[in-house]
Amino acid sequence: GAKVFIGSPVTCNSEADEHDWTWVKDLIQMLGKERVMGVAIGNELDILWQKESTSSACVRSLWHEGRFWAEFQRRVTELDALGLGSVPGTAVFT
């Protein structure tokens, strides 16, 4: 059967990111883990700094202060808890 690749952003808006992540986890549970081929945590991360809404403080927080890596690890841990330990996790760079 068909499988889906699901993505969820990591941006400068942590609240919106968390809301989206909750929806992603709900979707995974609706679909069933056997229908998920992978999960992308973060999208177009290499060009996030180019968006007008992205501040230098946000870029510093994400990359230099480790917010992205901490968020990535937290989400992978949550995926593991949902029984998706064998499903690949990745990040999207353009």
Side-chain angles (χ1 to χ4, degrees), residues 2-7 23-39 84:
K3 291 189 175 198
V4 296
F5 184 85
I6 302 172
W23 286 347
V24 165
K25 292 185 293 184
D26 290 345
L27 178 60
I28 288 170
Q29 291 178 323
M30 284 179 13
L31 293 171
K33 63 183 180 183
E34 65 280 354
R35 292 189 183 93
V36 179
M37 69 181 291
V39 179
L84 280 90

Side-chain angles (χ1 to χ4, degrees), residues 1 12 21 24 33-35 45 48 51 57 65 68 76:
C12 296
W21 180 239
V24 165
K33 63 183 180 183
E34 65 280 354
R35 292 189 183 93
L45 292 163
L48 180 63
K51 296 183 179 182
E65 297 168 11
F68 172 73
V76 167

Side-chain angles (χ1 to χ4, degrees), residues 18-87:
E18 192 58 34
H19 194 71
D20 184 86
W21 180 239
T22 297
W23 286 347
V24 165
K25 292 185 293 184
D26 290 345
L27 178 60
I28 288 170
Q29 291 178 323
M30 284 179 13
L31 293 171
K33 63 183 180 183
E34 65 280 354
R35 292 189 183 93
V36 179
M37 69 181 291
V39 179
I41 301 167
N43 185 40
E44 296 185 337
L45 292 163
D46 56 324
I47 62 171
L48 180 63
W49 66 273
Q50 294 176 337
K51 296 183 179 182
E52 287 185 29
S53 61
T54 302
S55 68
S56 59
C58 171
V59 172
R60 196 169 33 260
S61 172
L62 281 171
W63 300 112
H64 300 287
E65 297 168 11
R67 186 169 75 82
F68 172 73
W69 183 239
E71 186 66 21
F72 188 92
Q73 291 178 310
R74 180 183 71 87
R75 292 184 187 191
V76 167
T77 299
E78 290 183 20
L79 290 171
D80 290 347
L82 291 172
L84 280 90
S86 64
V87 172

